[in-house]
Structure formats: C-alpha cells, structure tokens
Amino acid sequence: QAYNCLIHFYKRIMADSAEQHRVFLNKPLDLLNSLHCKVTVSSVRGEKVTGGLLAVDPVTDTAVIVELEDSEASESDNLGNHNVTVVPFVNWNSMEVIDASDAFKKYVNSFHSEQSQSSDMSEEDLAKAKEKVTNWLSKNGLKIAARGEDLIIADAVILQPPFTAESCSATNEIILSRVQSILKCIPAE
C-alpha cells in the first residue's frame, strides 16, 4: 500500500511540474504553421522585432527573424543583404502573424533554399526523389503529407526539394536529427 501511495504521489508531482514548465505550454504545430510568415515577436524583456520567421526553438523560446523591407523582393535577393536577429526568451502567446500569404512564405523560405541543389535536378528527377523518400519514410513508420512541393513529416519536419537530409527544417532539433538520420540511410538504387 505504501508503494501505491508513492506511485500516486509521483504521478501528482510529475503532472504538477509538467503543467508549470513553460516548454509544455508551447504549441509546436502553431509555431510550425507560423514558420516563414511575417511576424512580430516580443521577448520577455519587452523588445519587439518584426520580420520573416526563419526558425524557432520552442525549448529555449528563441526565434530567428530576418528583417525585410516592405519593398518588392528582387531576383538576386539573398540573406546576406538583410539583418538577421536572434530573439531569445520569446513570449509565444504575444506573437502576431502579420502576413501568412503563400507568396511571403515562399520568399522567406527561399533564404533556406539558396544553397539547394534542386535547380540542378529535372522535374522528373525531383518527382522520383520525392517518391523514393516518401516510400522510405513510410517504411520507417513516419506519417508523410504533401504541401505544395514540400513534404511534411510527422507534422513536425518540412522536407524541401531535393529531398535530402540537408533540405529539412523543423522546430524541434531532436525530431529533425532523427528524421535526418533516417534520410541518410536511404539505400542507393
């Protein structure tokens, strides 16, 4: 009976601590949906930063924002032409999404894709690579959904063309690392 009391006490303590810790209050899927949008974030220090949301870390409550001009994007635009700010201690509840349009997301996402080799691949090769990756990830028990030309893995990782381990992004580094290790093990044909 003392053992049962200890178990109930342990469960109550763990439940109380889980409710209180800030990392359990973050909503990773909402953060993932806000990725590449134009947002305004506030730190717990009261500082506000507006720009394209390049990356988030819900564990450390950190956002990476690229500050963009309101003018139209140029064809030769690259990340080196913009200020990039790492905002620590973000209050996610006060994050405001200003522009969630597909055009803006594609523009901000292009900064990630600058180094991408997808332009070297034909449409047919990209389709084959996408199918091969989809089959491999499914075989490894992961849920895959297509969103445009990207693949969403386990509602947490975005895989972009050319569908390699290097073309993944996620809000959770642990999940990202595991998906990347699975992608690196794809057998050669």
Side-chain angles (χ1 to χ4, degrees):
Q1 187 165 16
Y3 181 71
N4 275 345
C5 288
L6 184 60
I7 290 174
H8 290 294
F9 175 75
Y10 178 73
K11 285 181 181 177
R12 193 176 78 229
I13 295 297
M14 290 306 292
D16 289 346
S17 65
E19 291 171 3
Q20 295 173 359
H21 197 281
R22 66 178 169 72
V23 78
F24 295 107
L25 301 175
N26 292 334
K27 300 173 188 144
L29 290 179
D30 291 346
L31 294 178
L32 185 65
N33 289 333
S34 301
L35 205 57
H36 305 126
C37 294
K38 184 173 186 177
V39 298
T40 298
V41 294
S42 301
S43 71
V44 293
R45 297 179 186 139
E47 299 169 14
K48 287 190 174 196
V49 179
T50 301
L53 186 61
L54 279 179
V56 296
D57 182 0
V59 175
T60 62
D61 290 332
T62 302
V64 179
I65 305 287
V66 59
E67 296 175 24
L68 304 168
E69 302 295 322
D70 288 332
S71 60
E72 287 292 314
S74 67
E75 290 291 321
S76 63
D77 212 3
N78 66 42
L79 194 56
N81 297 336
H82 300 282
N83 291 329
V84 176
T85 306
V86 177
V87 184
F89 309 115
V90 171
N91 179 356
W92 298 116
N93 293 328
S94 68
M95 181 173 69
E96 180 184 348
V97 177
I98 298 169
D99 186 354
S101 68
D102 287 338
F104 190 85
K105 284 183 175 182
K106 188 172 185 174
Y107 174 58
V108 173
N109 194 24
S110 71
F111 293 129
H112 285 295
S113 308
E114 286 175 357
Q115 305 291 324
S116 175
Q117 312 120 357
S118 64
S119 59
D120 297 343
M121 297 176 73
S122 69
E123 291 292 323
E124 184 179 321
D125 290 342
L126 280 175
K128 285 180 184 177
K130 187 175 186 177
E131 182 179 350
K132 182 178 180 181
V133 165
T134 301
N135 291 340
W136 179 251
L137 293 171
S138 295
K139 187 176 181 178
N140 281 275
L142 295 172
K143 184 179 109 182
I144 298 104
R147 185 172 68 187
E149 54 186 42
D150 299 338
L151 294 174
I152 309 300
I153 305 161
D155 292 326
V157 178
I158 299 173
L159 180 59
Q160 302 168 317
F163 308 108
T164 63
E166 293 77 29
S167 60
C168 290
S169 61
T171 59
N172 184 316
E173 289 295 320
I174 296 169
I175 295 173
L176 177 62
S177 171
R178 291 185 179 162
V179 168
Q180 286 176 324
S181 64
I182 291 171
L183 288 170
K184 288 177 183 174
C185 294
I186 294 178
E189 291 184 52

